[in-house]
Amino acid sequence: MLILNWILLSANLLAALYGIATCIHKGRVELNYVSLFSVGFIFYWVTPIMLMQTRLISYIEFPLKENWIGIYHSIGTMRMNQFLVFSLIFFICFFCGSLIKFREHTVIDKSDASEKWDLRAINIILIGVGILLLYFVFQFRGALFTGYNKIDWAQTGQKGNLVGTSLIFMNLILLKNLMKQKYKKVLNLKHYFISIEMVFFLTIQVMILSLGTRIYFLISLIAIIMFASIFITKFKTKYVILGTLFLVILISCVGLFRYGFNLSEVNFLSPVNNILQETMLNSFSLIATINFNHWGIIRFPIYLMQDTLNGVLSHLPVHLPAHDPSKAGYPLYSPVGGTSLFYSLIINFGFIGSFIFAFAVSSLLNYLRNTKTLYTNAVYVCLSSTLIFTFFRDNFYISIIKVGIQDFVVFPAIVLLTIWCLYFVYHKFFDKNKLKSNQKRKIK
């Protein structure tokens, strides 16, 4: 049974490594959603179990470590093997969604809006959102670069507004660059990264990072780099590897800083320990869910539907009565924060339903990848960037409803519709050249 455990664990790891390799072609990297999902799969699902099986967990320090080990030992080898079979099939279903041959097609933009109009409108919206960003940053001016423990947690709502607005600003930057490409302007890395809006955005992201919010900083950076690798130029593999190592070191150092470590306490393993703490702390809900008495075969996603409706009603004084998963025998055990994707899958879809969900999500992203429009290109990049972290570590209300649908699907649609509607009104009623031509026709 233990040998089977190792075989299944190795199969999960090899499958995910193959998924990562799908972004490499002829020594160059073009990030895609399968490779990003594979990294998250290894980090949040495979790594905690691998650390325990290899006994390397003894070198990792994190809060409530003894509790974690106690829950793990109570699972049993057979139950763990069942989870490893589940995770392998789940990954295969997700990968199969990427194999569907959607016809690559471009939806013709029938609007006659000019380049000057489109870019002027998106710049005005960027300025408005940028001012809002500065306002939210100003609210945290006393907490910037002071460490994670200095933050007033009564400001959690404002912090969410800051992060959400920054993601929307990033989306607008991607839309603006796609508009430039639409009008046959050749994008290059220099103009992409060294632009006023990008420098402003990265500066804001550094400030957000100083508040200890590493995950959303990484999501933004991944989206920006992924966009560049798809629409500007593929990156050499060696540069991607070096850049990844630099990011890991940077994020681990930020992690040490935000908890106020003294330099005398830091050693060679401290950065590694800090990175692995992220997956170990999030995996409390993972191993607790594995230890449930029953997972269910297939379920109707009432909790996801409830989150969706509450997300729509969040700006109104109306809320639906909450359904508590713990009353159905699925209590969430997350003493240090974070909700494993596995928990969200089990309470919403069940064992078999999760495979359908994985295939459906992958198929949707695959379709977006092959539909060449401003909107779908921006949505594809932004949604893909969430697959490493948010998708695996946050509940569906945050990962799917708030970040995925609200920030990355609904808002860019509203922006584009607003631009097109304003142009239609201007062109119909205020364009002097068109009004003169219409008057001449009436005279004739």
Side-chain angles (χ1 to χ4, degrees), residues 51 137 149 171 194 255 277 299 309 329 347 367 414 434:
L51 290 174
V137 169
N149 296 323
N171 207 320
I194 309 177
Q277 275 187 356
R299 299 180 183 281
L309 291 174
I347 66 171
Y367 175 77
I414 292 173
K434 186 168 183 178

Side-chain angles (χ1 to χ4, degrees), residues 250-425:
L250 173 65
I251 294 302
S252 63
C253 290
V254 170
L256 293 173
F257 163 76
R258 74 176 187 169
Y259 286 112
F261 276 73
N262 295 323
L263 289 177
S264 59
E265 299 174 347
V266 177
N267 56 43
F268 176 74
L269 292 176
S270 294
V272 177
N273 184 81
N274 186 264
I275 290 293
L276 292 178
Q277 275 187 356
E278 164 65 22
T279 182
M280 298 310 299
L281 294 177
N282 187 266
S283 64
F284 273 100
S285 55
L286 171 65
I287 60 172
T289 307
I290 295 173
N291 204 29
F292 283 164
N293 292 328
H294 57 94
W295 294 342
I297 302 300
I298 191 166
R299 299 180 183 281
F300 183 78
I302 57 172
Y303 305 108
L304 178 58
M305 295 296 294
Q306 173 186 291
D307 288 342
T308 304
L309 291 174
N310 280 332
V312 173
L313 301 173
S314 61
H315 301 291
L316 301 173
V318 180
H319 290 281
L320 297 175
H323 294 275
D324 188 358
S326 62
K327 293 181 179 179
Y330 298 102
L332 172 63
Y333 181 68
S334 181
V336 286
T339 302
S340 173
L341 170 63
F342 184 56
Y343 176 80
S344 298
L345 291 171
I346 291 302
I347 66 171
N348 281 288
F349 302 105
F351 191 88
I352 302 299
S354 298
F355 303 149
I356 300 172
F357 173 76
F359 182 80
V361 169
S362 180
S363 299
L364 174 62
L365 290 169
N366 189 13
Y367 175 77
L368 291 173
R369 177 173 59 178
N370 288 282
T371 306
K372 305 300 182 183
T373 67
L374 288 175
Y375 178 68
T376 56
N377 284 338
V379 170
Y380 168 68
V381 171
C382 291
L383 290 181
S384 298
S385 68
T386 67
L387 292 178
I388 291 186
F389 301 108
T390 306
F391 188 62
F392 278 93
R393 73 184 297 275
D394 290 320
N395 58 56
F396 279 167
Y397 179 71
I398 295 175
S399 63
I400 294 180
I401 308 303
K402 296 292 287 184
V403 176
I405 295 178
Q406 178 180 290
D407 294 343
F408 291 155
V409 175
V410 174
F411 188 81
I414 292 173
V415 168
L416 291 176
L417 284 173
T418 301
I419 292 174
W420 292 333
C421 288
L422 288 175
Y423 181 79
F424 174 79
V425 172

Side-chain angles (χ1 to χ4, degrees), residues 64-84:
L64 303 176
K65 178 178 176 179
E66 295 303 320
N67 289 18
W68 192 98
I69 294 174
I71 297 171
Y72 187 93
H73 283 314
S74 67
I75 292 174
T77 306
M78 181 175 291
R79 193 60 163 174
M80 182 56 69
N81 286 344
Q82 290 173 348
F83 168 72
L84 292 174

Side-chain angles (χ1 to χ4, degrees), residues 132-194:
L132 191 61
L133 261 179
L134 289 175
Y135 168 73
F136 287 135
V137 169
F138 182 76
Q139 290 185 316
F140 284 95
R141 62 192 181 280
L144 297 175
F145 304 99
T146 58
Y148 201 58
N149 296 323
K150 302 291 184 180
I151 296 175
D152 179 7
W153 290 105
Q155 292 181 297
T156 301
Q158 290 92 328
K159 188 176 179 182
N161 291 334
L162 171 61
V163 170
T165 307
S166 72
L167 294 177
I168 290 171
F169 191 87
M170 176 196 72
N171 207 320
L172 291 172
I173 293 176
L174 300 187
L175 282 173
K176 179 179 178 180
N177 281 278
L178 288 168
M179 284 180 178
K180 289 180 178 179
Q181 191 181 60
K182 167 188 171 182
Y183 294 111
K184 308 302 180 184
K185 284 194 172 184
V186 179
L187 299 177
N188 59 64
L189 290 177
K190 180 181 178 181
H191 292 151
Y192 176 63
F193 284 106
I194 309 177

